[in-house]
Amino acid sequence: IAVITATPTFSGCTGPAKTFTITVNPYPNLSVAANPTITCTSTTAVLSSTSTTSGTTFSWSPGGSTPTGSTTTVSSGGTYTLNATSAGCVTTSVVTVSTNTTQPNVSANVTSTLTCSSNTTTLNGSSSTSGVTYSWSPGGSTPTNSTTVVNASGNYTLTTTDPTNGCKTSTVVSVSQNTTTPVVSSASSGVLNCTLTSVNASASTTTTPVSYTWSGSGITSPTNISTVTVNQPGTYNYTVTNTSNGCVTTGTQAVTQNTTQPAATASLATAITCTNTSATLSGGPASGVTYSWSGTGLSGATNLAIATVTNTGSYTLTTTSTVNGCTNTATVTVNTVPTLTVNSAAVCSGQSATLNVSGANTYTWSNGVNGTTQTVSPTTSTVYIVTGTGLNGCTSSTTSSVTVTATPTI
């Protein structure tokens, strides 16, 4: 504070003196906090100041949230000026707000497609920004590493965070999946039978590329092809593998067999007699087969159900099924003269013996008895003659001996 006395003078004349008091006010003191930085995690900066000068007022430019307060909040970087005023005196300070919101860079890729043979894949992430942290979502095996292993298809997000400013960058990588199994149809080329001794079993698909594997008893061809040759009935297993993804389809193909023999019958329809020089043979069944007669003396066709023969002997009919080629045989014998079979006997005197004959149609014994059986009681050893007559009128004879032994006496 200064006191000044002033005396006016003019042309030698002096006026009354006057005293003035001059007060000099100081500039307000001002203290401002250090320059702040705006980041991705700290999106605003607080500008603060203090003054010990009483009655100081404040004015920020740009103003921020409270432009006339000692403290204001701003949301952008730049230069901010603070004017502190006291008793008309102004103190000015400048605060610089810097920004650090640089995003970290990030890139990611997937190693492979998920398949039936490879059910996991690796996701690889990287960043040229030093010191970043990683976070995968969904997480996989190591969700906070740059690399993680996953086992499901879909979109995976990798986020990198720069710890120096909290800024984050994300990228998405897509994991695809190929688990399509082959659609397979199978068939058999036929039914095994007496003439068709091998057939094909096949598995087919429109899927490519594929590999084949067959198994089963009776495969006579390589087993790693789509169509195999088999010679036994049964169930054959196939495996078809999509070689592009390892996916597998399995199935079975049945092979059946029909080796049932046809029926075969052969009989003498008309016989060779002493007056009839040929005989007719009849075969069966009537349908479903072909015929083949064999034997010495066949006359005419041998591939019909009926055959004609001119000699005695055995004749064989072979029937072949028209369904499966299987065969069967039947035999018929053509005789002219009947062949007789008769028994003989030995008895003690006073005993009887029973004689039996077969091989013809009717029989006459030398003792006048007719028929297949008679009982005799000779007193001495006797020979009996029996004559048989066949259906064809031809006859033949044979003998039966009954030996009589005298009963001993004492």
Side-chain angles (χ1 to χ4, degrees):
I1 298 174
V3 177
I4 299 173
T5 300
T7 302
T9 62
F10 181 73
S11 299
C13 295
T14 300
K18 189 172 182 179
T19 300
F20 297 91
T21 301
I22 299 174
T23 302
V24 179
N25 294 318
Y27 286 97
N29 78 319
L30 182 61
S31 175
V32 180
N35 297 329
T37 300
I38 291 176
T39 65
C40 292
T41 52
S42 297
T43 57
T44 62
V46 177
L47 309 182
S48 60
S49 66
T50 59
S51 177
T52 59
T53 303
S54 177
T56 300
T57 61
F58 302 90
S59 175
W60 291 94
S61 178
S65 61
T66 52
T68 59
S70 61
T71 299
T72 189
T73 301
V74 298
S75 58
S76 59
T79 300
Y80 293 83
T81 301
L82 172 61
N83 290 322
T85 303
S86 176
C89 295
V90 177
T91 299
T92 300
S93 180
V94 175
V95 178
T96 299
V97 177
S98 60
T99 58
N100 181 4
T101 55
T102 302
Q103 302 286 328
N105 83 316
V106 64
S107 63
N109 63 72
V110 58
T111 301
S112 61
T113 298
L114 295 174
T115 66
C116 294
S117 56
S118 178
N119 56 12
T120 62
T121 188
T122 301
L123 309 182
N124 302 298
S126 62
S127 175
S128 60
T129 303
S130 177
V132 296
T133 62
Y134 297 89
S135 176
W136 289 95
S137 178
S141 61
T142 51
T144 59
N145 287 359
S146 60
T147 299
T148 190
V149 176
V150 298
N151 60 5
S153 61
N155 291 330
Y156 291 82
T157 301
L158 173 61
T159 300
T160 56
T161 303
D162 186 346
T164 63
N165 60 10
C167 295
K168 301 175 184 289
T169 302
S170 297
T171 188
V172 176
V173 63
S174 180
V175 175
S176 59
Q177 179 172 274
N178 178 5
T179 54
T180 302
T181 58
V183 178
V184 181
S185 60
S186 65
S188 171
S189 65
V191 176
L192 293 169
N193 56 41
C194 293
T195 56
L196 186 63
T197 57
S198 65
V199 297
N200 292 331
S202 61
S204 59
T205 180
T206 57
T207 303
T208 58
V210 294
S211 64
Y212 298 89
T213 301
W214 285 88
S215 64
S217 177
I219 299 176
T220 60
S221 65
T223 58
N224 61 345
I225 54 179
S226 62
T227 300
V228 294
T229 302
V230 302
N231 62 6
Q232 294 180 23
T235 299
Y236 293 86
N237 305 302
Y238 61 82
T239 299
V240 181
T241 304
N242 183 340
T243 55
S244 68
N245 61 12
C247 296
V248 172
T249 296
T250 60
T252 61
Q253 176 58 47
V255 173
T256 58
Q257 178 175 267
N258 178 3
T259 54
T260 302
Q261 286 185 307
T265 60
S267 61
L268 186 64
T270 61
I272 293 176
T273 67
C274 296
T275 57
N276 186 18
T277 57
S278 66
T280 301
L281 308 181
S282 177
S287 62
V289 296
T290 60
Y291 308 92
S292 177
W293 290 92
S294 62
T296 302
L298 285 163
S299 175
T302 60
N303 61 345
L304 303 176
I306 303 298
T308 301
V309 298
T310 57
N311 291 339
T312 61
S314 294
Y315 293 88
T316 299
L317 171 64
T318 300
T319 59
T320 302
S321 170
T322 57
V323 174
N324 61 14
C326 297
T327 62
N328 203 352
T329 60
T331 301
V332 61
T333 300
V334 177
N335 291 321
T336 301
V337 177
T339 299
L340 302 181
T341 301
V342 68
N343 68 304
S344 294
V347 297
C348 296
S349 58
Q351 294 180 337
S352 61
T354 299
L355 305 179
N356 299 290
V357 66
S358 63
N361 186 43
T362 61
Y363 306 92
T364 300
W365 297 84
S366 57
N367 61 353
V369 176
N370 296 321
T372 59
T373 302
Q374 68 164 317
T375 300
V376 295
S377 301
T379 57
T380 62
S381 296
T382 304
V383 175
Y384 297 89
I385 300 172
V386 60
T387 300
T389 302
L391 290 173
N392 57 7
C394 297
T395 61
S396 64
S397 298
T398 191
T399 60
S400 173
S401 298
V402 176
T403 302
V404 178
T405 302
T407 302
T409 59
I410 298 176

